[in-house]
């Protein structure tokens, strides 16, 4: 298990979260956090924009609580979660868009919101026919700390990444 995954699990435990919304999830995603949630009776949910991924999750009994929705429209779900995690995802939207909808994300979280992203330029085109896999933004840890998130960074598998999170009472 990599350092980033351990960090996410530690934050779920620290906040005593009983429900998690994972933003974005594909067929080859690391299932460690999901399995941890399943073993600890933590409700696992996914919001995913690409319908093919949603269908795959349901058809293969990976997750039944799947919302086929753009994270920018998270308020349409009309549900709150203890933890919202968006792992290697914020780089898939423009920073200006992220700033426009991040309050909606925070409003849907009871305890913690946590992001992870590669630090700096990390080009990626669409994958598996999914146009939403393209990286459209270069992000830096400092951008998140400047808007009130706690941050740290990791080097896993030779890639520099960072986490940014905010807890709520």
């Amino acid at each position: 298990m990599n350092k980033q995954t351990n960090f996410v699990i530690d934050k779920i435990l620290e906040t005593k979260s009983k429900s998690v919304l994972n933003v974005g999830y594909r067929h080859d995603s690391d299932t460690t956090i999901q399995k941890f949630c399943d073993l600890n009776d933590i409700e696992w949910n996914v919001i995913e924009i690409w319908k093919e991924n949603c269908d795959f999750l349901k058809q293969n009994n990976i997750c039944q609580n799947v919302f086929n929705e753009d994270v920018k429209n998270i308020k349409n779900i009309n549900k709150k979660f203890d933890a919202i995690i968006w792992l290697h995802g914020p780089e898939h939207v423009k920073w200006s868009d992220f700033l426009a909808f991040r309050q909606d994300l925070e409003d849907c979280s009871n305890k913690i919101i946590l992001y992870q992203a590669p630090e700096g330029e990390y080009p990626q085109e669409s994958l598996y026919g999914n146009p939403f896999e393209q990286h459209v933004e270069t992000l830096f840890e400092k951008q998140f700390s400047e808007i009130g998130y706690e941050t740290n960074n990791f080097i896993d598998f030779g890639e520099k990444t960072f986490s940014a999170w905010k807890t709520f009472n």
Side-chain angles (χ1 to χ4, degrees):
M1 185 176 343
N2 67 41
K3 295 174 194 171
Q4 297 175 74
T5 301
N6 281 333
F7 183 78
V8 173
I9 288 172
D10 287 347
K11 289 298 181 188
I12 291 170
L13 285 170
E14 279 176 30
T15 57
K16 297 178 173 67
S17 293
K18 288 297 184 186
S19 62
V20 173
L21 176 66
N22 191 102
V23 179
Y25 203 80
R26 64 183 198 224
H27 71 280
D28 63 342
S29 291
D30 182 346
T31 59
T32 306
I33 298 168
Q34 176 202 358
K35 288 177 182 173
F36 165 81
C37 289
D38 290 346
L39 290 171
N40 289 280
D41 200 30
I42 298 170
E43 179 186 302
W44 179 258
N45 303 269
V46 172
I47 181 173
E48 167 61 47
I49 191 170
W50 204 43
K51 184 175 181 331
E52 287 84 345
N53 282 348
C54 295
D55 293 345
F56 179 87
L57 292 169
K58 289 179 182 179
Q59 291 166 0
N60 291 283
N61 292 317
I62 296 169
C63 183
Q64 295 305 309
N65 303 323
V66 179
F67 303 94
N68 185 197
E69 185 70 68
D70 187 337
V71 69
K72 295 173 189 173
N73 302 318
I74 192 168
K75 60 186 173 190
N76 291 345
I77 292 176
N78 200 27
K79 184 174 178 177
K80 290 189 78 154
F81 307 88
D82 287 345
I84 296 177
I85 59 174
W86 195 2
L87 312 178
H88 286 265
E91 67 275 13
H92 296 269
V93 299
K94 289 290 191 185
W95 181 247
S96 58
D97 291 343
F98 172 79
L99 292 175
F101 70 83
R102 78 178 170 103
Q103 188 60 54
D104 291 339
L105 279 167
E106 291 179 12
D107 290 346
C108 290
S109 176
N110 292 319
K111 297 185 178 188
I112 187 169
I113 188 156
L114 189 147
Y115 308 101
Q116 288 181 338
E119 174 90 16
E121 189 172 348
Y122 196 84
Q124 178 176 293
E125 296 302 318
S126 62
L127 298 173
Y128 315 109
N130 181 348
F132 302 104
E133 285 295 333
Q134 182 177 8
H135 290 183
V136 297
E137 194 64 72
T138 298
L139 297 174
F140 296 93
E141 181 180 346
K142 183 179 178 186
Q143 289 171 268
F144 286 83
S145 62
E146 287 176 345
I147 58 172
Y149 291 93
E150 294 182 66
T151 62
N152 65 8
N153 57 65
F154 303 94
I155 297 180
D156 267 332
F157 310 110
E159 176 185 310
K160 186 173 181 188
T161 62
F162 66 91
S163 293
W165 69 96
K166 189 182 283 189
T167 56
F168 310 101
N169 292 331

